[in-house]
Amino acid sequence: QWYQRRVLGSSGINAEYGGVPGQSSGLLLYYGTTVCDDGFSDNSAIAICREMGYPGFHSWNNGELFEIQTSLDIGLDDVVCSSGSWDSCSSTTSHNCAHSEDVHLNCVP
């Protein structure tokens, strides 16, 4: 079942959470579009969780886990971060991805 909860960072990064309300994991969105896993790393996960106000991340994975994903555009790709700071990240809004590559992020609450 899909439960919606948004956490918005100052750069437009937010997460739509699936599962139990109040959990700190879910489908990662960028201005309402999904984020592709190309170039995504633990540094990317740390930087994004911190940008959303969490102290860090627990895990991340990819996949088409929610039916709603197919109705969303893929809006961010090649999120490469050299450290755990959003300022160290680069990305592109063009992509070569499918929703099977959408990022799901589990931030530390």
Side-chain angles (χ1 to χ4, degrees):
Q1 189 171 0
W2 181 261
Y3 297 93
Q4 185 171 345
R5 176 176 175 245
R6 288 184 187 224
V7 176
L8 181 63
S10 60
S11 59
I13 287 286
N14 65 72
E16 294 280 345
Y17 297 120
V20 179
Q23 71 182 24
S24 59
S25 64
L27 176 63
L28 183 62
L29 296 180
Y30 177 74
Y31 290 108
T33 63
T34 65
V35 177
C36 182
D37 68 352
D38 293 349
F40 204 87
S41 68
D42 288 355
N43 277 342
S44 307
I46 293 167
I48 290 169
C49 284
R50 287 180 177 166
E51 178 68 13
M52 293 191 300
Y54 293 104
F57 88 106
H58 181 266
S59 63
W60 68 272
N61 64 354
N62 62 2
E64 192 173 325
L65 306 180
F66 301 107
E67 193 173 305
I68 195 172
Q69 288 175 245
T70 58
S71 67
L72 302 172
D73 290 330
I74 299 169
L76 201 63
D77 193 12
D78 300 318
V79 180
V80 177
C81 303
S82 60
S83 75
S85 169
W86 181 248
D87 293 340
S88 78
C89 302
S90 64
S91 61
T92 180
T93 54
S94 60
H95 73 88
N96 58 349
C97 304
H99 285 295
S100 60
E101 299 172 85
D102 288 348
V103 172
H104 300 263
L105 186 57
N106 183 359
C107 297
V108 173

